[in-house]
Structure formats: C-alpha cells, structure tokens
Amino acid sequence: MLSNRWGLLAAGLVLASGARAQDKIPGVTSTEISIGQSAPLSGPASAFGIYSRVYEAYFKMLNDEGGINGRKINFHLLDNGFSPPKALEMSRKLVEDIGVVAEVGTVGTPTNTATQRYLNGKKVPQLLISAGGSKFNDPRQYPWTVPFYPQFETEAAGYAKYVLKTQPNAKIAVLYQNDDYGKDFLKGLKKGLGEANQKMIVAEASYELTDPTVDSQIISLKASGATVFMNFTTPKFAAQAIRKAGELGWAPLQFVCSPSNSLPAVLVPVGLNKAVGLMSAQFFKQPGDPAWDKDQGVIDYMAFMKKYAPGDSPTDSIGISGYINVSLAEYVFKAAGKDLSRDNLVKTATTLKDVTLSMLLPGIVLSNTPTNYSAYHSFRLSRFDGKAWVAVETIRAE
C-alpha cells in the first residue's frame, strides 16, 4: 500500500512538473494559447481590416468546437492604423504587456518591417505574416520571421513572363507604392523582364501612403504611350488608378497585384464594367464563381462566413486570404502538438510538406524548409470578365 502511495505521488509530481514546464512558455497554459496580431482596422489600408475580422471569427469558431488540442485560443487583435510606429507599439504591447506566445498573421510590408527586428530580438515568432516582401524570407538574419503571403517579386516576375510571351513589343508603365511593398513588385518585374528587356518600361511613377490620390500619376503614365500598365498598389490606390484610367480613356493591358484584386474592396467601388480585362494572380477559389458552387471547401467557407462573420462579404478576396492564413495557423498549432514552445512553432511552420488547404486552388500546395521559408511556388494568372476572375494559365516560380 505504501509503495502504491509513493508511486501515485511520483506520478503526480511528474504531471505537475510537466504542467509547470508548459506554463513557463509565455502565452501558453494547460487550457489556453494566447496569440496576437496588429491590423489596419483604421487608416489608409483599412480595406485590409476584413482579413483580421475573419481571423478573429475563425478562432471563435475553433473555440466553440473545443479549441486546438484541448486549448482555447485567446486572440488579441490591436489596431495599428497601418502606421509603422504604431505597429511597433502594438507588438510591444502584445509581447510585454499581454504576453502572447507569438504574433500571428499580421498584414502589411511597412508594419511587419517595423516590428521584425524587435520580435526577432525578443525571439518571439512573427508567424505566417501576410506580406510578400523578399526581406521576410531571410532565415539567417531573421529566423523568427515566417512569411506566408506569396512573394511579390515572384508574382511580378510572372506578369513579366506573360507580357514577354504575348506582347513582346509592349511599352510598360508602372505605378508603385514608394516603400518596400511597391519596390519589391517593381524589382520582380525588372527581374522577370531580364536586363535586355527592361527598356520596355517607358514610365514609372510612385506615390506615398499619405497621398490623397494618384490621379496625377495616372495622367503622367498615360502620356507615356504605354500599352501595358502594372498597378502595384494597395486597395485604396488600386481603385483610384483603375477609375482614373477609365476616365481618361486609357485602356492598356492592366495588371493589378493580388493584394488589391478584391471585388468588394476595389472592383465594385470602381464599377465592374471599368475593370473588364484586368489581369491578376489568383491563389484561391472564388466564392460566387459557379465553378466552385459544389466544392466542399467553398461550401464550408460560406457557412462559416454566414455564421461567424455575417457583416463581411464572403466574396472579398482579402477576407478569403485571412481565412486561408488562419487555416494554416490552425494547422501549425495542431501539428506542434504538446510542444508549443516558440522554437517548435517556428520549426513546425518552416517544415511544411505538400500542405493543402480547403480554399487554395487545386494544384497549389505549400512546402518550405528551414533555409527557404517561402511556401508558395505557383499562381494562376486570371482575367476579370466583368463578373468573375477567369483562369488564363498557371505560372510557376523559376
């Protein structure tokens, strides 16, 4: 009897020790996982707000279903106004005041740039960020930063490849945001054209996030005589550029970058008739397209939006992007199992092998390695026909 008591006591001590060890991980207890995100819920990029609202709604759904591996998700969503200083302030609050285990899914190149050095210095995972800048795929210098959004350079290089094939005598005009976001797209375009063909770019114009409009830039680009227009902007400015081009009667072959190809946030406000012929990269299924009406992933997504995010449009591509990102976040936290240490979360997120998610287009699988964090390796180039995006061809990264 005495030996049994000692055995039970020893077992209890082991369990208690394991629980205490788990409790030592910041933001993790036996019943809860605390994570955070800062988002442009206000400011010049507030169109991205739906992304984070969907993120928040998804965790509510998971919690209603019992959480992840028996733990509820305590999701802290803070407004950064798309301001780099504010984003850094919010990251400090998440780490030092709230005590999250990781910052997950934060949107934007300037905002993630502002917090990258701080989070890496604190060895806090900057996990699955929604920013396609090449600087975020740098495991040697920033091992705690794990990007999820497809790289902007790869997307723009794909556009260049298509132009070279279909319009070898094109004259290209480029509008880009004057920061790492826009410059990465421009860099990718030039890389895709190759040194010998960069002379095809006949005009470049940039804008600042604080600019009220880009009307003057579009007037200047039209005057260049360009037959192809690369619209490397965020949603507010993408809509302005498309609208102004239409008002001027300028009808080049126009490419709008994937972060700004949302129907509700960009094309509907402009007028769908003015968006006919736009080209863009697609990575996921589009609700509302009859081709996906019977797809189980789309059916599940629509049901989720109806129940958990009824105030937001289920056809907004920004919201769908958030749904895909948070789906992968769920995958990573589940795959990490009992070890929710910051080291293991990064290890799990950077050893993806042919992962599929329900809303990704068929054929798009996610794989990465500890030396190359980029998970996307292809996209579908599509054309807007006035109602929906129609597939043109699949473009793979070189």
Side-chain angles (χ1 to χ4, degrees):
M1 178 69 75
L2 186 61
S3 62
N4 284 342
R5 286 177 180 172
W6 277 112
L8 289 171
L9 178 59
L13 289 171
V14 168
L15 288 173
S17 175
R20 284 196 299 270
Q22 186 69 70
D23 285 346
K24 289 180 180 178
I25 299 173
V28 178
T29 70
S30 60
T31 60
E32 181 181 282
I33 306 170
S34 182
I35 63 177
Q37 181 184 114
S38 76
L41 302 178
S42 62
S46 59
F48 287 128
I50 183 176
Y51 168 100
S52 298
R53 292 192 295 273
V54 167
Y55 224 95
E56 189 172 44
Y58 193 94
F59 283 134
K60 185 177 188 309
M61 176 189 72
L62 288 184
N63 286 341
D64 286 350
E65 296 172 353
I68 293 178
N69 295 337
R71 290 184 173 91
K72 297 294 181 74
I73 301 297
N74 190 355
F75 182 57
H76 304 271
L77 179 60
L78 306 179
D79 185 13
N80 62 34
F82 213 59
S83 161
K86 188 72 171 177
L88 179 57
E89 178 188 341
M90 294 303 100
S91 287
R92 290 184 185 278
K93 183 173 183 178
L94 288 170
V95 173
E96 298 171 21
D97 296 342
I98 297 173
V100 299
V101 66
E103 184 170 324
V104 183
T106 291
V107 174
T109 298
T111 44
N112 280 295
T113 297
T115 62
Q116 186 176 26
R117 187 179 298 275
Y118 167 75
L119 291 170
N120 276 262
K122 290 288 187 179
K123 297 184 178 181
V124 175
Q126 190 179 14
L127 208 60
L128 306 180
I129 63 173
S130 190
S134 57
K135 66 165 66 178
F136 300 120
N137 184 16
D138 188 356
R140 181 170 295 181
Q141 185 173 1
Y142 296 111
W144 298 91
T145 299
V146 183
F148 180 54
Y149 202 89
Q151 290 194 50
F152 298 148
E153 284 190 30
T154 301
E155 180 178 329
Y159 296 159
K161 183 188 297 186
Y162 181 80
V163 170
L164 287 173
K165 182 174 70 174
T166 61
Q167 295 197 28
N169 298 315
K171 296 179 180 179
I172 303 172
V174 186
L175 175 67
Y176 66 96
Q177 192 162 288
N178 189 28
D179 59 13
D180 289 334
Y181 170 90
K183 290 175 182 177
D184 261 17
F185 275 113
L186 182 59
K187 181 179 177 182
L189 174 67
K190 291 180 176 179
K191 185 181 294 185
L193 289 173
E195 189 173 346
N197 295 307
Q198 287 184 22
K199 62 181 181 295
M200 294 171 70
I201 300 176
V202 296
E204 299 176 13
S206 65
Y207 69 91
E208 305 294 335
L209 268 172
T210 53
D211 289 349
T213 76
V214 291
D215 287 359
S216 62
Q217 288 93 328
I218 299 302
I219 292 170
S220 174
L221 294 176
K222 177 183 182 295
S224 71
T227 57
V228 172
F229 173 35
M230 296 289 174
N231 190 344
F232 296 150
T233 57
T234 46
K236 169 186 171 182
F237 298 102
Q240 290 181 358
I242 296 166
R243 181 183 296 112
K244 190 61 179 179
E247 290 174 356
L248 295 173
W250 186 33
L253 175 63
Q254 183 174 171
F255 292 79
V256 61
C257 57
S258 59
S260 297
N261 64 19
S262 166
L263 267 71
V266 178
L267 306 191
V268 170
V270 167
L272 298 183
N273 61 317
K274 294 180 182 177
V276 173
L278 285 179
M279 307 286 285
S280 192
Q282 299 279 296
F283 301 93
F284 43 77
K285 302 165 187 174
Q286 182 62 54
D289 184 335
W292 305 112
D293 281 351
K294 296 182 180 180
D295 180 87
Q296 191 59 50
V298 173
I299 291 171
D300 292 343
Y301 167 75
M302 295 295 284
F304 157 78
M305 290 295 289
K306 183 177 181 180
K307 181 175 181 179
Y308 287 95
D312 284 305
S313 170
T315 61
D316 191 324
S317 60
I318 300 171
I320 302 168
S321 179
Y323 182 87
I324 291 170
N325 191 297
V326 73
S327 297
L328 187 61
E330 176 193 12
Y331 174 91
V332 168
F333 277 90
K334 281 185 174 178
K338 294 181 179 180
D339 184 0
L340 293 177
S341 65
R342 287 168 167 170
D343 283 314
N344 195 48
L345 287 175
V346 170
K347 178 182 177 182
T348 305
T350 58
T351 53
L352 304 176
K353 179 64 176 176
D354 296 333
V355 175
T356 59
L357 300 174
S358 64
M359 284 296 287
L360 287 177
L361 287 168
I364 294 184
V365 295
L366 307 173
S367 299
N368 59 10
T369 69
T371 57
N372 181 3
Y373 286 179
S374 181
Y376 282 92
H377 306 285
S378 65
F379 68 84
R380 181 178 292 179
L381 183 65
S382 300
R383 178 182 289 109
F384 187 69
D385 69 357
K387 295 181 180 179
W389 291 99
V390 179
V392 175
E393 64 175 84
T394 297
I395 295 182
R396 303 194 181 280
E398 297 294 343

